[in-house]
Coordinates of all heavy atoms in Angstrom, one line a residue:
S168 N 0.8 -1.2 0.0 CA 0.0 0.0 0.0 C 0.9 1.2 0.0 O 1.8 1.3 0.8 CB -0.9 0.0 1.2 OG -1.8 -1.1 1.2
P169 N 0.5 2.2 -0.9 CA 1.4 3.4 -0.9 C 1.2 4.2 0.4 O 0.2 4.2 1.0 CB 0.8 4.2 -2.1 CG -0.6 3.7 -2.2 CD -0.6 2.2 -1.8
L170 N 2.3 4.8 0.8 CA 2.3 5.7 1.9 C 1.4 6.9 1.6 O 1.4 7.4 0.5 CB 3.7 6.1 2.3 CG 4.6 5.0 2.8 CD1 6.0 5.6 3.0 CD2 4.1 4.4 4.1
P171 N 0.8 7.5 2.6 CA 0.0 8.8 2.4 C 0.9 9.8 1.7 O 2.0 10.1 2.1 CB -0.4 9.2 3.8 CG -0.4 7.9 4.6 CD 0.8 7.1 4.0
H172 N 0.3 10.5 0.7 CA 1.0 11.6 0.0 C 2.3 11.2 -0.7 O 3.2 12.0 -0.9 CB 1.2 12.7 1.0 CG 0.1 13.1 1.8 ND1 -1.2 13.4 1.3 CD2 -0.1 13.1 3.2 CE1 -2.0 13.6 2.3 NE2 -1.4 13.4 3.4
S173 N 2.4 9.9 -1.1 CA 3.7 9.5 -1.7 C 3.5 9.4 -3.2 O 4.4 9.0 -3.9 CB 4.1 8.1 -1.2 OG 3.2 7.1 -1.5
E174 N 2.3 9.8 -3.7 CA 2.1 9.8 -5.2 C 3.0 10.7 -5.9 O 3.5 11.7 -5.3 CB 0.6 10.1 -5.5 CG 0.1 11.5 -5.1 CD -0.4 11.5 -3.7 OE1 -0.4 10.5 -3.0 OE2 -0.9 12.6 -3.3
I175 N 3.2 10.4 -7.2 CA 4.1 11.2 -8.0 C 3.5 12.6 -8.2 O 2.3 12.7 -8.7 CB 4.4 10.5 -9.3 CG1 5.1 9.2 -9.1 CG2 5.2 11.4 -10.2 CD1 6.4 9.3 -8.4
P176 N 4.2 13.7 -7.9 CA 3.6 15.1 -8.2 C 3.7 15.4 -9.7 O 4.4 14.8 -10.5 CB 4.6 16.0 -7.4 CG 5.9 15.2 -7.4 CD 5.5 13.8 -7.3
S177 N 3.0 16.5 -10.0 CA 3.0 16.9 -11.4 C 4.3 17.6 -11.8 O 4.8 17.3 -12.9 CB 1.8 18.0 -11.6 OG 0.6 17.4 -11.2
I178 N 4.8 18.5 -11.0 CA 6.0 19.2 -11.3 C 6.8 19.2 -9.9 O 6.2 19.0 -8.9 CB 5.8 20.6 -11.8 CG1 4.8 21.3 -11.0 CG2 5.4 20.5 -13.3 CD1 4.5 22.7 -11.5
P179 N 8.1 19.5 -9.9 CA 8.9 19.5 -8.7 C 8.2 20.4 -7.6 O 8.1 21.6 -7.8 CB 10.2 20.0 -9.1 CG 10.3 19.7 -10.6 CD 8.9 19.8 -11.1
P180 N 7.8 19.8 -6.5 CA 7.2 20.6 -5.4 C 8.0 21.7 -4.9 O 7.5 22.8 -4.5 CB 6.9 19.6 -4.3 CG 7.0 18.2 -5.0 CD 7.9 18.4 -6.1
S181 N 9.3 21.5 -4.9 CA 10.2 22.6 -4.3 C 10.2 23.8 -5.1 O 10.5 24.9 -4.6 CB 11.7 22.0 -4.3 OG 12.1 21.7 -5.6
D182 N 9.8 23.7 -6.4 CA 9.8 24.9 -7.3 C 8.6 25.8 -7.0 O 8.6 27.0 -7.2 CB 9.7 24.5 -8.8 CG 11.0 23.9 -9.2 OD1 12.0 24.2 -8.5 OD2 11.0 23.2 -10.3
I183 N 7.5 25.2 -6.5 CA 6.2 26.0 -6.3 C 5.7 26.0 -4.9 O 4.8 26.8 -4.6 CB 5.1 25.4 -7.3 CG1 4.8 23.9 -6.9 CG2 5.6 25.5 -8.7 CD1 3.6 23.4 -7.6
E184 N 6.3 25.2 -4.0 CA 5.7 25.1 -2.7 C 5.5 26.4 -2.0 O 4.4 26.7 -1.4 CB 6.6 24.2 -1.8 CG 5.9 23.7 -0.6 CD 6.7 22.5 0.1 OE1 7.9 22.4 -0.2 OE2 6.1 21.8 0.8
P185 N 6.5 27.4 -2.0 CA 6.2 28.6 -1.3 C 5.1 29.4 -1.9 O 4.5 30.3 -1.2 CB 7.6 29.4 -1.6 CG 8.6 28.3 -1.8 CD 7.8 27.3 -2.6
F186 N 4.7 29.2 -3.2 CA 3.6 29.9 -3.8 C 2.3 29.3 -3.7 O 1.3 29.8 -4.1 CB 3.9 30.1 -5.3 CG 5.2 30.8 -5.6 CD1 6.4 30.2 -5.7 CD2 5.2 32.2 -5.7 CE1 7.6 30.9 -5.9 CE2 6.3 32.9 -6.0 CZ 7.6 32.3 -6.0
L187 N 2.2 28.1 -3.0 CA 1.0 27.4 -2.8 C 0.3 28.0 -1.6 O -1.0 28.0 -1.5 CB 1.2 25.9 -2.6 CG 1.7 25.2 -3.9 CD1 1.9 23.8 -3.6 CD2 0.7 25.3 -5.0
T188 N 1.0 28.5 -0.6 CA 0.4 29.0 0.6 C 1.0 30.4 1.0 O 0.4 31.1 1.7 CB 0.6 28.0 1.8 OG1 2.0 27.7 2.0 CG2 -0.2 26.7 1.5
H189 N 2.2 30.6 0.6 CA 3.0 31.8 1.1 C 2.9 33.0 0.2 O 3.5 34.0 0.5 CB 4.4 31.4 1.4 CG 4.6 30.5 2.5 ND1 5.8 30.0 2.9 CD2 3.7 30.0 3.4 CE1 5.6 29.1 3.9 NE2 4.4 29.1 4.2
S190 N 2.2 33.0 -0.9 CA 2.0 34.1 -1.8 C 0.7 34.0 -2.4 O 0.3 32.8 -2.7 CB 3.1 34.3 -2.8 OG 4.4 34.5 -2.2
F191 N 0.0 35.0 -2.7 CA -1.2 34.9 -3.4 C -1.6 36.3 -3.9 O -1.0 37.3 -3.6 CB -2.4 34.4 -2.5 CG -2.8 35.3 -1.4 CD1 -3.9 36.2 -1.6 CD2 -2.1 35.4 -0.2 CE1 -4.3 37.1 -0.6 CE2 -2.5 36.2 0.8 CZ -3.6 37.1 0.6
I192 N -2.5 36.3 -4.9 CA -3.0 37.6 -5.5 C -4.5 37.8 -5.1 O -5.3 37.0 -5.5 CB -2.9 37.5 -7.0 CG1 -1.4 37.3 -7.4 CG2 -3.4 38.8 -7.7 CD1 -1.2 37.0 -8.9
A193 N -4.7 38.8 -4.3 CA -6.1 39.2 -3.9 C -6.7 40.1 -5.0 O -6.0 40.5 -5.9 CB -6.0 39.9 -2.6
G194 N -8.0 40.3 -4.9 CA -8.6 41.1 -5.8 C -8.2 42.6 -5.7 O -7.4 42.9 -4.8
P195 N -8.7 43.5 -6.5 CA -8.3 44.9 -6.4 C -8.5 45.5 -5.1 O -7.8 46.4 -4.7 CB -9.3 45.6 -7.5 CG -9.6 44.5 -8.5 CD -9.7 43.2 -7.6
D196 N -9.5 45.0 -4.3 CA -9.7 45.5 -2.9 C -8.7 45.0 -1.9 O -8.6 45.4 -0.7 CB -11.1 45.3 -2.4 CG -12.1 46.0 -3.3 OD1 -11.8 47.1 -3.8 OD2 -13.3 45.5 -3.4
G197 N -7.9 44.0 -2.3 CA -6.9 43.4 -1.4 C -7.5 42.7 -0.2 O -8.6 42.1 -0.3
L198 N -6.8 42.8 0.9 CA -7.3 42.2 2.2 C -7.8 43.3 3.1 O -7.6 43.3 4.3 CB -6.1 41.5 2.9 CG -5.6 40.3 2.1 CD1 -4.4 39.7 2.9 CD2 -6.6 39.3 1.9
S199 N -8.6 44.2 2.5 CA -9.1 45.4 3.3 C -10.0 44.9 4.5 O -10.2 45.6 5.5 CB -9.8 46.4 2.4 OG -10.9 45.7 1.7
K200 N -10.7 43.7 4.3 CA -11.6 43.2 5.3 C -11.0 42.1 6.1 O -11.7 41.5 6.9 CB -12.9 42.8 4.6 CG -13.6 43.9 3.9 CD -14.9 43.5 3.3 CE -15.6 44.6 2.6 NZ -16.9 44.1 1.9
A201 N -9.7 41.8 5.9 CA -9.1 40.7 6.7 C -8.7 41.1 8.1 O -8.8 42.3 8.5 CB -7.9 40.3 5.9
A202 N -8.4 40.1 8.9 CA -8.0 40.4 10.3 C -6.7 41.2 10.2 O -5.9 41.1 9.3 CB -7.7 39.1 11.0

């Protein structure tokens, strides 16, 4: 049985990992209503 999350990724995770959670593009109003 495969280990959890051991499936083959689409592209090298190290290239995009910081951009999956650590950067993003908000709408023109930005995070004006965020905490």
Side-chain angles (χ1 to χ4, degrees):
S168 298
L170 294 173
H172 314 302
S173 64
E174 62 271 1
I175 297 301
S177 305
I178 48 180
S181 58
D182 290 341
I183 63 172
E184 198 167 22
F186 297 88
L187 295 175
T188 57
H189 291 177
S190 293
F191 69 95
I192 300 172
D196 293 334
L198 296 179
S199 58
K200 298 180 180 179

